[in-house]
Amino acid sequence: MKRASTATLTALAAGALLAPIAGHATEGALGRPVAGTSVTPNVGVVPDQPVWIANFQEVYLDGSVGGSRPVPVGGRTTAGIDGKLSLTLATMMKVWDTGPGAWNFASAFTLPYIWTTARTNLVVTGPAGGTFSRGNSDRSSNLYDLYFSPIIAGYHFSKTSHMSLSFNIWAPTGQYDKNSLSNPGLNVWTFVPQVAFTHLMPAYGLEFNAVGALQFYTRNNDTNYHNAPLFTLDVMGVKKFGHLGAGIVMGTVQQLGDDSGPTADRLNGFRGRDFSVGPIVTYDTKLGHHPLSMSLRWVPTVASKNRLDSTATVQATATLVF
């Protein structure tokens, strides 16, 4: 018995993705997640038919850690930092032919490209406290670290309630220079176990989605900086009006412990957190005979500590099933 209709084959798409940034509250003040960007419509659904899913995602963020608050970057400390980035992610997902039953399985691979700039507001200091410069700026654009999900397991509780479990990996393939303020890569492996849930209420045109994950970072051997684990939770509620939908997204990133290493120790562990909330609009149609879903969201930061504070976080996605 089919548990997911053709219209919901856009299900997972980039549901396993956690959009990244070039580091704060971890080294650089961000780590990989951007609060409010990992949850998508039908995120907990793995289709019960063997299909390919293509997802294209664009994330823009313009944020800062203002004033003279110290930020660890590249083995040294900056007094305040401003950052902008544009991150483009192209994902291909294969849903495997596992036959009828409550479980379905998929695998995914993401090729990301990043453009980013960083500027220090005040003074840049080194491990011994010596001054490097004032008002430094840097920019970079290149392939970001590769992201892949070897296995995504979906479970169908019913026709309206679904869950997916995945283990995701960021590989340190992007260029990295510890002397740069702006880098295309983070120079660390990141392991991300994740659970996603979707509940549909078709009689009311309502949909609820949630994604929770943990992120575990390896040590940056170039700077001897070790990011503490992060907990992320994004939730979304959407009301459908035919092809159109509108709703709200909320997300949080919470650091579970202190960072470690010489720079982190000087900053008392540089533990961070943030919370974002904003609107989302969706549109479902077809490209020929292939289901196509699009969405646009704005998720500004409403509270943060030791992470980039942004009122200009925008995400656009398009998902095609074939």
Side-chain angles (χ1 to χ4, degrees):
M1 180 180 66
K2 291 185 179 181
R3 291 178 171 81
S5 67
T6 302
T8 61
L9 281 179
T10 50
L12 226 237
L17 296 179
L18 292 176
I21 284 192
H24 286 25
T26 49
E27 188 175 17
L30 201 84
R32 299 196 187 275
V34 179
T37 62
S38 69
V39 65
T40 62
N42 293 305
V43 69
V45 185
V46 176
D48 60 358
Q49 302 174 42
V51 296
W52 284 93
I53 300 174
N55 175 267
F56 300 93
Q57 184 177 168
E58 181 71 26
V59 178
Y60 175 80
L61 183 145
D62 183 348
S64 66
V65 176
S68 58
R69 285 181 292 171
V71 178
V73 180
R76 59 191 187 271
T77 304
T78 72
I81 191 170
D82 297 320
K84 296 180 181 180
L85 76 84
S86 175
L87 180 66
T88 304
L89 303 106
T91 299
M92 289 298 299
M93 175 180 291
K94 171 62 177 176
V95 180
W96 302 105
D97 186 0
T98 51
W103 289 94
N104 295 106
F105 300 91
S107 301
F109 173 81
T110 297
L111 183 67
Y113 190 91
I114 192 169
W115 171 89
T116 178
T117 67
R119 181 175 62 86
T120 58
N121 297 328
L122 296 173
V123 181
V124 182
T125 58
T131 298
F132 282 74
S133 63
R134 179 180 296 271
N136 262 8
S137 63
D138 193 14
R139 68 175 58 192
S140 61
S141 60
N142 211 318
L143 290 176
Y144 187 66
D145 295 338
L146 294 180
Y147 182 79
F148 52 98
S149 306
I151 186 66
I152 304 166
Y155 184 79
H156 308 287
F157 296 102
S158 67
K159 292 183 178 180
T160 57
S161 294
H162 311 268
M163 177 185 69
S164 68
L165 306 170
S166 60
F167 184 77
N168 314 290
I169 302 170
W170 289 100
T173 56
Q175 293 181 356
Y176 180 83
D177 180 356
K178 70 176 183 179
N179 297 315
S180 297
L181 291 174
S182 174
N183 275 297
L186 295 191
N187 199 41
V188 295
W189 290 87
T190 310
F191 304 99
V192 188
Q194 178 175 291
V195 58
F197 178 76
T198 292
H199 181 67
L200 306 173
M201 302 176 69
Y204 303 98
L206 296 175
E207 177 182 327
F208 173 79
N209 297 278
V211 180
L214 294 171
Q215 297 202 0
F216 299 95
Y217 295 77
T218 60
R219 183 177 297 274
N220 185 336
N221 291 325
D222 287 357
T223 62
N224 199 29
Y225 197 102
H226 193 184
N227 298 328
L230 299 179
F231 168 74
T232 65
L233 177 64
D234 288 351
V235 297
M236 171 196 294
V238 173
K239 167 67 175 176
K240 296 288 188 176
F241 304 93
H243 293 291
L244 289 171
I248 190 168
V249 178
M250 295 181 289
T252 186
V253 177
Q254 301 286 330
Q255 188 168 329
L256 306 178
D258 294 339
D259 295 341
S260 61
T263 308
D265 292 343
R266 293 197 304 274
L267 301 179
N268 298 317
F270 200 61
R271 186 182 299 201
R273 62 182 182 273
D274 64 14
F275 178 73
S276 298
V277 61
I280 182 172
V281 292
T282 66
Y283 182 73
D284 299 315
T285 185
K286 285 189 176 182
L287 186 62
H289 298 290
H290 304 290
L292 173 65
S293 291
M294 295 175 284
S295 68
L296 179 66
R297 76 188 67 185
W298 172 54
V299 280
T301 305
V302 296
S304 68
K305 177 184 178 182
N306 290 339
R307 291 182 63 83
L308 283 180
D309 191 329
S310 171
T311 59
T313 302
V314 180
Q315 180 188 35
T317 65
T319 303
L320 180 67
V321 179
F322 56 96

